[in-house]
Short mmCIF file of all heavy atoms in Angstrom, two decimals:
data_model
loop_
_atom_site.label_atom_id
_atom_site.label_comp_id
_atom_site.label_asym_id
_atom_site.label_seq_id
_atom_site.Cartn_x
_atom_site.Cartn_y
_atom_site.Cartn_z
N GLU A 25 -13.76 35.27 17.32
CA GLU A 25 -15.00 34.95 18.05
C GLU A 25 -15.21 33.45 18.02
O GLU A 25 -14.82 32.78 17.07
CB GLU A 25 -16.19 35.61 17.36
CG GLU A 25 -16.37 37.06 17.73
CD GLU A 25 -17.46 37.72 16.89
OE1 GLU A 25 -18.38 37.02 16.44
OE2 GLU A 25 -17.34 38.94 16.68
N LEU A 26 -15.88 32.96 19.06
CA LEU A 26 -16.19 31.53 19.09
C LEU A 26 -17.53 31.30 18.40
O LEU A 26 -18.53 31.93 18.75
CB LEU A 26 -16.32 31.07 20.54
CG LEU A 26 -15.12 30.41 21.20
CD1 LEU A 26 -15.52 29.92 22.57
CD2 LEU A 26 -14.57 29.27 20.35
N GLY A 27 -17.54 30.44 17.43
CA GLY A 27 -18.80 30.10 16.77
C GLY A 27 -19.42 28.89 17.44
O GLY A 27 -18.80 28.25 18.29
N ALA A 28 -20.65 28.57 17.04
CA ALA A 28 -21.32 27.43 17.67
C ALA A 28 -21.71 26.41 16.62
O ALA A 28 -22.18 26.75 15.53
CB ALA A 28 -22.56 27.92 18.41
N MET A 29 -21.51 25.18 16.97
CA MET A 29 -21.88 24.10 16.06
C MET A 29 -22.46 22.95 16.87
O MET A 29 -22.07 22.72 18.01
CB MET A 29 -20.63 23.61 15.33
CG MET A 29 -20.92 22.70 14.20
SD MET A 29 -19.40 22.05 13.51
CE MET A 29 -19.38 20.48 14.27
N ARG A 30 -23.43 22.27 16.30
CA ARG A 30 -24.03 21.14 17.00
C ARG A 30 -23.90 19.91 16.12
O ARG A 30 -24.10 19.98 14.90
CB ARG A 30 -25.51 21.45 17.24
CG ARG A 30 -26.11 20.78 18.44
CD ARG A 30 -27.25 21.62 19.01
NE ARG A 30 -28.35 21.76 18.06
CZ ARG A 30 -29.33 20.88 17.93
NH1 ARG A 30 -29.35 19.78 18.67
NH2 ARG A 30 -30.30 21.09 17.08
N THR A 31 -23.54 18.80 16.73
CA THR A 31 -23.56 17.54 15.97
C THR A 31 -24.26 16.50 16.83
O THR A 31 -24.26 16.58 18.06
CB THR A 31 -22.14 16.98 15.65
OG1 THR A 31 -21.54 16.59 16.86
CG2 THR A 31 -21.27 17.98 14.95
N ARG A 32 -24.88 15.57 16.18
CA ARG A 32 -25.45 14.42 16.88
C ARG A 32 -25.57 13.28 15.88
O ARG A 32 -25.36 13.47 14.69
CB ARG A 32 -26.81 14.76 17.50
CG ARG A 32 -27.91 15.03 16.50
CD ARG A 32 -29.23 15.34 17.20
NE ARG A 32 -30.25 15.72 16.24
CZ ARG A 32 -31.02 14.86 15.58
NH1 ARG A 32 -30.86 13.55 15.78
NH2 ARG A 32 -31.92 15.28 14.70
N HIS A 33 -25.89 12.11 16.42
CA HIS A 33 -26.09 10.96 15.53
C HIS A 33 -27.57 10.72 15.32
O HIS A 33 -28.36 10.79 16.28
CB HIS A 33 -25.45 9.70 16.13
CG HIS A 33 -23.96 9.76 16.13
ND1 HIS A 33 -23.22 9.93 14.99
CD2 HIS A 33 -23.06 9.66 17.15
CE1 HIS A 33 -21.94 9.95 15.29
NE2 HIS A 33 -21.81 9.81 16.60
N PHE A 34 -27.97 10.44 14.10
CA PHE A 34 -29.32 9.93 13.86
C PHE A 34 -29.38 8.50 14.40
O PHE A 34 -28.33 7.88 14.62
CB PHE A 34 -29.60 9.93 12.35
CG PHE A 34 -29.77 11.31 11.76
CD1 PHE A 34 -28.78 11.86 10.95
CD2 PHE A 34 -30.92 12.06 12.01
CE1 PHE A 34 -28.92 13.12 10.41
CE2 PHE A 34 -31.07 13.33 11.46
CZ PHE A 34 -30.07 13.87 10.67
N PRO A 35 -30.60 7.98 14.60
CA PRO A 35 -30.69 6.61 15.16
C PRO A 35 -29.92 5.57 14.35
O PRO A 35 -29.44 4.59 14.91
CB PRO A 35 -32.20 6.32 15.12
CG PRO A 35 -32.84 7.67 15.16
CD PRO A 35 -31.92 8.60 14.43
N ASP A 36 -29.77 5.79 13.06
CA ASP A 36 -29.03 4.79 12.26
C ASP A 36 -27.52 5.03 12.25
O ASP A 36 -26.79 4.36 11.53
CB ASP A 36 -29.56 4.79 10.81
CG ASP A 36 -29.42 6.16 10.14
OD1 ASP A 36 -28.82 7.07 10.76
OD2 ASP A 36 -29.89 6.32 9.01
N GLY A 37 -27.06 5.99 13.03
CA GLY A 37 -25.62 6.21 13.14
C GLY A 37 -25.09 7.31 12.23
O GLY A 37 -23.94 7.71 12.34
N GLU A 38 -25.91 7.78 11.28
CA GLU A 38 -25.44 8.88 10.42
C GLU A 38 -25.29 10.15 11.25
O GLU A 38 -25.88 10.29 12.32
CB GLU A 38 -26.43 9.09 9.26
CG GLU A 38 -26.38 7.92 8.27
CD GLU A 38 -27.25 8.14 7.04
OE1 GLU A 38 -27.86 9.23 6.91
OE2 GLU A 38 -27.32 7.21 6.21
N THR A 39 -24.49 11.08 10.74
CA THR A 39 -24.16 12.28 11.52
C THR A 39 -24.97 13.50 11.09
O THR A 39 -25.13 13.76 9.90
CB THR A 39 -22.65 12.59 11.35
OG1 THR A 39 -21.91 11.49 11.85
CG2 THR A 39 -22.23 13.84 12.10
N TYR A 40 -25.47 14.23 12.08
CA TYR A 40 -26.17 15.50 11.85
C TYR A 40 -25.21 16.62 12.24
O TYR A 40 -24.58 16.57 13.29
CB TYR A 40 -27.41 15.54 12.74
CG TYR A 40 -28.11 16.87 12.83
CD1 TYR A 40 -29.15 17.19 11.96
CD2 TYR A 40 -27.77 17.80 13.82
CE1 TYR A 40 -29.82 18.40 12.05
CE2 TYR A 40 -28.43 19.01 13.93
CZ TYR A 40 -29.45 19.31 13.03
OH TYR A 40 -30.11 20.51 13.13
N VAL A 41 -25.08 17.62 11.39
CA VAL A 41 -24.20 18.77 11.70
C VAL A 41 -24.96 20.05 11.46
O VAL A 41 -25.64 20.19 10.43
CB VAL A 41 -22.94 18.74 10.78
CG1 VAL A 41 -22.17 20.05 10.88
CG2 VAL A 41 -22.01 17.58 11.14
N ARG A 42 -24.88 20.98 12.38
CA ARG A 42 -25.50 22.31 12.16
C ARG A 42 -24.59 23.40 12.71
O ARG A 42 -24.28 23.41 13.91
CB ARG A 42 -26.85 22.35 12.87
CG ARG A 42 -27.53 23.69 12.70
CD ARG A 42 -28.87 23.73 13.39
NE ARG A 42 -29.46 25.04 13.20
CZ ARG A 42 -30.24 25.65 14.08
NH1 ARG A 42 -30.56 25.03 15.21
NH2 ARG A 42 -30.71 26.84 13.84
N ILE A 43 -24.17 24.33 11.84
CA ILE A 43 -23.43 25.50 12.32
C ILE A 43 -24.46 26.52 12.75
O ILE A 43 -25.32 26.92 11.95
CB ILE A 43 -22.50 26.05 11.22
CG1 ILE A 43 -21.40 25.02 10.92
CG2 ILE A 43 -21.89 27.39 11.66
CD1 ILE A 43 -20.46 25.39 9.78
N GLU A 44 -24.43 26.90 14.02
CA GLU A 44 -25.51 27.71 14.58
C GLU A 44 -25.22 29.21 14.59
O GLU A 44 -26.11 30.01 14.85
CB GLU A 44 -25.84 27.22 16.00
CG GLU A 44 -26.36 25.79 15.97
CD GLU A 44 -26.71 25.26 17.36
OE1 GLU A 44 -25.90 25.46 18.29
OE2 GLU A 44 -27.77 24.63 17.49
N SER A 45 -23.97 29.58 14.34
CA SER A 45 -23.67 31.01 14.30
C SER A 45 -23.49 31.45 12.85
O SER A 45 -23.28 30.62 11.97
CB SER A 45 -22.41 31.29 15.11
OG SER A 45 -21.44 30.32 14.85
N SER A 46 -23.56 32.76 12.63
CA SER A 46 -23.49 33.24 11.25
C SER A 46 -22.03 33.30 10.78
O SER A 46 -21.20 34.00 11.36
CB SER A 46 -24.12 34.63 11.16
OG SER A 46 -23.83 35.16 9.89
N VAL A 47 -21.74 32.57 9.71
CA VAL A 47 -20.36 32.55 9.21
C VAL A 47 -20.24 33.28 7.87
O VAL A 47 -19.15 33.32 7.28
CB VAL A 47 -19.83 31.09 9.06
CG1 VAL A 47 -19.70 30.42 10.42
CG2 VAL A 47 -20.70 30.25 8.14
#
Side-chain angles (χ1 to χ4, degrees):
E25 278 173 28
L26 263 185
M29 191 186 100
R30 208 151 63 85
T31 67
R32 67 179 175 85
H33 290 302
F34 289 108
D36 59 5
E38 290 185 3
T39 298
Y40 169 91
V41 168
R42 179 180 179 212
I43 293 176
E44 296 180 316
S45 42
S46 170
V47 294

